[in-house]
Amino acid sequence: MPQSLVLILGDQLSHGLSALGAADRASDVVLMAEVMAEASYVPHHKKKIALIFSAMRHFSAELRQAGWTVDYVKLDDPANTGTLGGEVQRALSRHGLTRVIATEPGEWRLLAEMQSWPATTLLADRRFLADRAGFADWAAGRSGLRMEHFYRIMRRKTGLLMDNGQPVGGRWNFDADNRKAIDRDLHIPQPPRFTPDPITREVLDLVAKRFPDNFGSLEPFWFGVDRSDAEAAFAHFVRHALPLFGSYQDAMLRGQAFLYHAVIAPYLNLGLLDPLEICRVVETAWRNGTIPLNSAEGFIRQVIGWREFVRGIYWWRMPGYEHANALRAQRPLPTFYWTAETSMACLGACISQTRDEAYAHHIQRLMVTGNFALLAGIDPHELHRWYLSVYADAFEWVELPNTIGMSQFADDGLLASKPYAASGSYINRMSDYCRGCRYDVKAKSGPDACPFNLLYWDFIARHRERLARNPRMAPMVRTWDRFSAERQQQLRGDAASFLETLG
Ligand code: FAD
Ligand code: SF4
């Protein structure tokens, strides 16, 4: 006799999931459902929807093979109610069940909904290293939260890159070695491309039919869709890209979307890869001498440091965090974020790459699309909905703190010690975008001046009082104060003229 319905969500594709651990393979029924409410609450990139549905279908096949009874509801099932709650109700009556077991979802909105379902047991998601309550306890007693402090706790907890209780190499952090500009002559590996199998092809047809107007190119579709693909992609990264990952982590190059990045966030966030397992592989590669320490430490810091830290902040600060807007930024998101039609070469490159690949690496997100929005005073909530839509790896628990906190300083410095604001010279130093741009990155004012230069000073001026109190920004405020009144007026006038063109 079946006893419980085990609900598995689209980003819970892990065989070790707590809900599966608590269920009885012999008698319980697993429910997986593709529902319109989840596929459309933001206008997700076509590739993102296809990836999630295909990975869900592959995971359901693996579960069946492992002996589970799986009830899988496809999006185009005529009886599909379109909501998770509706599908749970239908499945309960179909199978004559009354109890639901699920692992907590990764999003506050859905957690609030599921908590209201009757007879539903919600279990903690144990696929992370830091639990929500532990993070909140750590955070509550501090005046300022710094990732670096949290990261050291994670290093000690996991023992990663530690020898006799001390960080290997005598330092916790090798970030200073990770800011090299890139040289075009270097060999740049590409992530492996997986050919869509019949399951994925069916999903691609479905997405083309049901989401024709969503952002992004659906084809070519080459993401991995199951654990074995994800492991192959990760192994390829460790072998071919990780040795130079550290050094060129912040670099950007026209026509090169991936450089030495792992392109594994979609797999990690769906549950196809385990964060601790992959970090152990990276540590072993360093101990075996196949990769340098700055790459190993840089990668491990992103995964056990930043990834866990932003998740902790998300759950600690939600639900209010989503609407944080400390800088009172209210300008609507410019249309070119959806069309890539802009004469700013850096933004054009990052957005068209996002449209084509549902991917941009961290510095493209932070220092190009994010930096521009920060400087131009774009409404952070609108920007959040954009980031949540356009990347294959975008799930709210990780996207929101990166956008609201790290990129837009909308939480008033809870997550980041200073705004990630930079003029065109940063982009020029770290990329080759400025060559061939209609704007002049060296010009500080006038109609040809790089808009990042104009907007940078306008940003400093707009937030002068707040930034003067920030020890890391105060020197820039002092520089602004030393400009003559005429220069200040001209810079602000040029910035205002540029902002008017955004509509
Ligand atoms: P790599 O550069 O190769 O890094 C390895 C792994 O480290 C990533 O796969 C990721 O799991 C982890 N990582 C690195 N930086 C971060 C970070 N800041 N926060 C959390 N994890 C990190 N990441 C997401 O997974 N989903 C998002 O929706 C997302 N939205 C972002 C929005 C903005 C505005 C910014 C600035 C960053 C965002 N990030 C997000 C973080 C980061 O940009 C991506 O994790 C990374 O670019 C994914 O590409 P990759 O797998 O090649 O990562
Ligand atoms: Fe971007 Fe300015 Fe460089 Fe053009 S000149 S690519 S707008 S930073």
Side-chain angles (χ1 to χ4, degrees):
M1 272 291 285
Q3 294 179 326
S4 295
L5 188 68
V6 185
L7 176 66
I8 298 197
L9 303 173
D11 59 352
Q12 296 183 337
L13 310 181
S14 317
H15 289 279
L17 194 73
S18 53
L20 287 170
D24 183 346
R25 198 179 301 229
S27 60
D28 292 343
V29 175
V30 171
L31 172 69
M32 296 181 73
E34 298 168 1
V35 294
M36 205 49 165
E38 297 305 315
S40 63
Y41 74 102
V42 290
H44 304 283
H45 194 296
K46 293 191 191 88
K47 275 195 169 83
K48 177 183 179 188
I49 305 176
L51 169 66
I52 297 175
F53 284 177
S54 178
M56 285 172 70
R57 292 183 186 194
H58 282 86
F59 188 69
S60 72
E62 286 175 22
L63 287 179
R64 283 196 185 108
Q65 228 169 18
W68 292 92
T69 303
V70 183
D71 185 351
Y72 192 98
V73 183
K74 291 186 176 173
L75 189 81
D76 49 5
D77 180 333
N80 190 328
T81 56
T83 66
L84 278 173
E87 286 317 290
V88 166
Q89 279 313 313
R90 273 201 327 125
L92 285 172
S93 53
R94 221 171 20 247
H95 299 285
L97 299 172
T98 51
R99 282 174 5 115
V100 180
I101 303 177
T103 294
E104 283 175 349
E107 197 159 314
W108 196 89
R109 167 190 64 88
L110 203 49
L111 178 65
E113 184 189 327
M114 288 169 74
Q115 280 170 337
S116 71
W117 292 352
T120 301
T121 307
L122 292 177
L123 303 167
D125 192 341
R126 292 196 300 262
R127 298 173 300 166
F128 295 89
L129 300 169
D131 66 77
R132 287 165 42 185
F135 184 91
D137 284 348
W138 172 78
R142 302 180 163 257
S143 49
L145 298 186
R146 288 301 155 249
M147 197 290 289
E148 190 61 31
H149 302 148
F150 172 81
Y151 169 55
R152 292 177 190 187
I153 297 174
M154 292 293 109
R155 285 273 293 277
R156 289 201 173 95
K157 180 173 174 175
T158 57
L160 284 162
L161 298 181
M162 300 292 290
D163 278 340
N164 304 318
Q166 294 303 315
V168 299
R171 263 154 63 191
W172 290 98
N173 183 318
F174 289 79
D175 209 22
D177 304 346
N178 291 359
R179 294 182 190 136
K180 279 198 193 157
I182 200 149
D183 179 345
R184 259 207 182 266
D185 298 336
L186 281 168
H187 168 70
I188 297 170
Q190 297 299 314
R193 294 182 170 243
F194 300 92
T195 308
D197 66 3
I199 297 178
T200 303
R201 280 258 70 97
E202 191 182 299
V203 168
L204 292 173
D205 291 345
L206 173 80
V207 173
K209 202 164 90 201
R210 296 294 297 274
F211 304 93
D213 300 326
N214 280 39
F215 176 74
S217 324
L218 183 57
E219 307 255 11
F221 182 91
W222 53 265
F223 284 120
V225 288
D226 61 19
R227 185 175 164 91
S228 98
D229 288 352
E231 282 173 346
F234 179 65
H236 184 276
F237 161 70
V238 172
R239 179 135 189 233
H240 299 286
L242 183 56
L244 291 181
F245 169 84
S247 302
Y248 299 109
Q249 218 173 324
D250 289 5
M252 299 174 279
L253 209 52
R254 266 179 292 153
Q256 292 289 347
F258 311 106
L259 295 174
Y260 300 96
H261 290 271
V263 200
I264 54 152
Y267 309 137
L268 272 173
N269 297 349
L270 290 179
L272 301 176
L273 290 178
D274 178 77
L276 190 54
E277 261 173 37
I278 62 169
C279 288
R280 296 237 184 272
V281 171
V282 168
E283 176 176 30
T284 305
W286 171 70
R287 290 199 186 270
N288 291 342
T290 55
I291 58 165
L293 184 53
N294 69 319
S295 283
E297 189 281 319
F299 180 85
I300 287 173
R301 174 158 29 91
Q302 307 307 324
V303 176
I304 68 167
W306 279 111
R307 188 170 184 269
E308 297 281 337
F309 182 67
V310 298
R311 177 174 181 264
I313 293 203
Y314 177 79
W315 286 111
W316 184 46
R317 286 312 224 205
M318 279 300 274
Y321 200 66
E322 183 184 355
H323 294 285
N325 190 356
L327 301 183
R328 298 179 197 280
Q330 269 151 7
R331 190 174 299 282
L333 187 72
T335 323
F336 68 73
Y337 273 73
W338 296 108
T339 62
E341 283 166 20
T342 165
S343 41
M344 289 175 276
C346 52
L347 280 155
C350 294
I351 295 168
S352 53
Q353 172 197 311
T354 297
R355 179 196 60 212
D356 295 344
E357 306 288 3
Y359 178 84
H361 71 66
H362 187 65
I363 294 300
Q364 293 176 311
R365 298 184 204 198
L366 186 64
M367 299 312 294
V368 180
T369 46
N371 182 22
F372 183 83
L374 173 71
L375 299 182
I378 307 297
D379 178 342
H381 193 259
E382 272 201 40
L383 187 72
H384 144 62
R385 287 178 59 81
W386 183 78
Y387 279 114
L388 186 58
S389 305
V390 302
Y391 294 115
D393 55 42
F395 294 88
E396 195 177 86
W397 62 267
V398 52
E399 174 278 325
L400 188 75
N402 269 300
T403 304
I404 293 290
M406 190 187 297
S407 156
Q408 298 303 295
F409 208 70
D411 63 1
D412 205 13
L414 177 76
L415 188 148
S417 57
K418 77 181 226 338
Y420 281 94
S423 67
S425 63
Y426 174 87
I427 295 175
N428 193 30
R429 191 165 66 249
M430 298 314 300
S431 79
D432 63 354
Y433 293 142
C434 301
R435 271 177 255 153
C437 179
R438 168 246 177 277
Y439 294 102
D440 178 356
V441 72
K442 297 260 168 12
K444 307 287 180 226
S445 59
D448 291 334
C450 164
F452 284 82
N453 295 345
L454 304 173
L455 294 178
Y456 181 79
W457 290 116
D458 194 55
F459 173 79
I460 301 285
R462 282 199 320 271
H463 302 292
R464 193 195 165 285
E465 308 307 319
R466 182 186 300 270
L467 299 179
R469 293 194 300 269
N470 181 312
R472 298 184 66 194
M473 294 303 287
M476 302 319 294
V477 174
R478 285 196 292 275
T479 304
W480 168 257
D481 288 347
R482 282 196 296 271
F483 289 169
S484 67
E486 295 74 45
R487 180 143 188 231
Q488 289 187 349
Q489 216 173 5
Q490 186 186 6
L491 282 166
R492 296 216 64 185
D494 286 351
S497 309
F498 173 78
L499 287 170
E500 266 173 37
T501 68
L502 295 179

